[in-house]
């Protein structure tokens, strides 16, 4: 029996390796003399290469690359568009990256690689109603209370702007009023057709006092059939931080969290740890006051604070 099991595992590994390697070389984007983007087999996955004049000028690796939204142009702001290609890392529930390319005076160029986390590209809404460009949910805050598919994602958002050469976080647009941070500013990007719009799937609060009062009124001891109130408190705190109100985020957690309920310290540590390792940490620090709460931690990707909330058994 043991030999049969070992043989079965070896067969699965053999086919997974060779299936990936057997993927043909594919041209996903062809702009003629301006350049082309090619996906080619490499190891157990693929390499995505931007080539101009016979040279590779940019490349990335992932398990599999696919043209985003069948090549539909993606608005990036200022009336400009780009073409997206998604990379999938492989593994359960994770993870995708959106690579954006645009033809400019120097030829076809790579302008951004945006981490999508566990959000499937087919259901993404990159530009919400009323926005001019991409608004990205920071995947560093996915899997908030457990390493499971049903775990909550806090999805604090970053608006992007086109600066003429690349996409970058729009610091002016990130600085949002408290009321917006407690409203729809951090709506999720995933917008499947069988669910209401993201803005209708989150609770909204008119001001900080109302949010604190609503959280205090929740049942923190037996949160049946819904996420733990601590998750909602963390979601609001994350959006406040990303809107430039880290001080208000600390105030919300301090005032809303019942004194006899554990988890506030773990939540505060995990917020700081996840932000420290976010690719957008510098932008978030820039929109907050110097050395604001949650903004001074150093990134330790495998540190215990990355999963401090997991130990509370909320999921």
């Amino acid at each position: 029996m043991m030999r049969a099991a070992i043989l079965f595992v070896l067969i699965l590994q053999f086919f997974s390796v060779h299936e990936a390697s057997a993927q043909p070389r594919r041209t996903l984007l062809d702009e003629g003399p301006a350049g082309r983007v090619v996906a080619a087999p490499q190891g157990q996955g693929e390499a995505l290469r931007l080539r101009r004049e016979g040279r590779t000028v940019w490349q990335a690796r992932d398990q599999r690359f696919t043209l985003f939204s069948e090549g539909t142009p993606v608005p990036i702001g200022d009336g400009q568009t780009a073409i997206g290609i998604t990379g999938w890392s492989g593994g359960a529930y994770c993870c995708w990256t959106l690579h954006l390319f645009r033809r400019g005076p120097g030829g076809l160029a790579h302008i951004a690689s945006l981490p999508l986390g566990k959000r499937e590209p087919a259901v993404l809404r990159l530009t919400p109603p009323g926005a001019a460009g991409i608004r990205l949910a920071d995947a560093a805050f996915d899997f908030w209370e457990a390493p499971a598919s049903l775990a909550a994602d806090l999805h604090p958002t970053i608006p992007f702007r086109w600066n003429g050469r690349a996409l970058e976080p729009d610091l002016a647009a990130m600085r949002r009023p408290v009321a917006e941070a407690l409203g729809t500013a951090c709506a999720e990007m995933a917008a499947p057709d069988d669910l209401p719009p993201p803005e209708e799937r989150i609770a909204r609060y008119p001001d900080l006092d109302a949010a604190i009062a609503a959280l205090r009124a929740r049942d923190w001891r037996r949160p049946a059939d819904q996420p733990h109130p601590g998750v909602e408190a963390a979601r609001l705190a994350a959006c406040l931080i990303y809107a430039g109100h880290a001080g208000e985020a600390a105030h919300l957690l301090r005032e809303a969290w019942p004194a006899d309920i554990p988890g506030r310290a773990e939540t505060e540590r995990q917020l700081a740890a996840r932000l420290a390792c976010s690719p957008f940490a510098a932008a978030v620090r820039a929109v907050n006051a110097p050395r604001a709460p949650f903004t001074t931690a150093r990134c330790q990707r495998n540190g215990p604070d990355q999963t401090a909330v997991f130990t509370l058994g909320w999921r």
Side-chain angles (χ1 to χ4, degrees):
M1 181 65 71
M2 181 61 70
R3 289 181 179 177
I6 293 172
L7 178 61
F8 179 69
V9 171
L10 290 174
I11 289 173
L12 286 180
Q13 290 180 340
F14 175 84
F15 278 107
S16 63
V17 169
H18 287 270
E19 182 181 1
S21 299
Q23 296 293 346
R25 178 185 176 94
R26 295 167 294 128
T27 298
L28 298 180
L29 180 59
D30 191 345
E31 292 290 330
R36 65 185 60 190
V37 181
V38 176
Q42 186 172 90
Q44 297 185 33
E46 291 186 321
L48 187 70
R49 300 187 179 109
L50 169 59
R51 294 183 60 80
R52 290 198 305 259
E53 299 177 351
R55 298 184 301 109
T56 297
V57 297
W58 175 90
Q59 64 178 330
R61 291 187 62 184
D62 236 325
Q63 184 71 24
R64 177 75 172 172
F65 292 99
T66 308
L67 198 60
F68 177 70
S69 191
E70 299 181 343
T72 302
V74 176
I76 58 174
D78 199 27
Q80 304 300 311
T81 62
I83 299 297
I85 294 174
T86 54
W88 177 60
S89 67
Y93 317 121
C94 220
C95 286
W96 282 270
T97 302
L98 177 64
H99 305 285
L100 292 171
F101 301 88
R102 182 178 180 275
R103 184 169 179 171
L108 188 62
H110 167 260
I111 62 169
S113 289
L114 305 179
L116 305 177
K118 63 180 184 178
R119 295 159 186 83
E120 295 190 20
V123 299
L124 280 187
R125 188 189 66 179
L126 292 175
T127 306
I134 292 172
R135 185 178 292 174
L136 185 75
D138 190 347
F141 291 81
D142 288 358
F143 300 104
W144 182 250
E145 78 279 39
S149 63
L150 296 178
D153 308 324
L154 301 191
H155 47 79
T157 58
I158 306 99
F160 280 80
R161 63 183 288 270
W162 170 245
N163 67 12
R165 294 176 292 103
L167 276 184
E168 64 180 11
D170 187 339
L171 301 185
M174 285 180 70
R175 295 186 177 99
R176 291 166 278 198
V178 168
E180 287 188 26
L182 299 174
T184 60
C186 292
E188 176 60 273
M189 292 173 61
D193 293 336
D194 58 345
L195 291 177
E199 292 79 11
E200 297 178 15
R201 305 201 308 264
I202 56 174
R204 289 163 282 180
Y205 311 89
D207 53 43
L208 200 60
D209 288 340
I212 291 170
L215 287 168
R216 282 177 171 172
R218 298 274 296 271
D219 182 358
W220 288 69
R221 296 188 181 279
R222 296 181 179 276
D225 301 325
Q226 58 183 329
H228 192 280
V231 174
E232 177 67 358
R235 182 187 72 81
L236 294 175
C239 195
L240 285 165
I241 295 166
Y242 273 56
H245 305 290
E248 285 81 353
H251 175 76
L252 178 140
L253 292 176
R254 185 171 57 250
E255 296 299 318
W257 211 287
D260 59 339
I261 298 296
R264 191 185 114 197
E266 289 84 353
T267 295
E268 290 171 342
R269 294 202 310 270
Q270 189 163 305
L271 282 167
R274 296 287 184 96
L275 172 58
C277 292
S278 165
F280 311 111
V284 177
R285 293 186 183 112
V287 300
N288 279 282
R291 301 193 65 79
F294 310 107
T295 66
T296 59
R298 291 186 177 184
C299 177
Q300 298 182 47
R301 296 196 180 278
N302 298 315
D305 287 350
Q306 291 286 335
T307 56
V309 173
F310 290 14
T311 64
L312 300 171
W314 288 352
R315 172 63 65 177

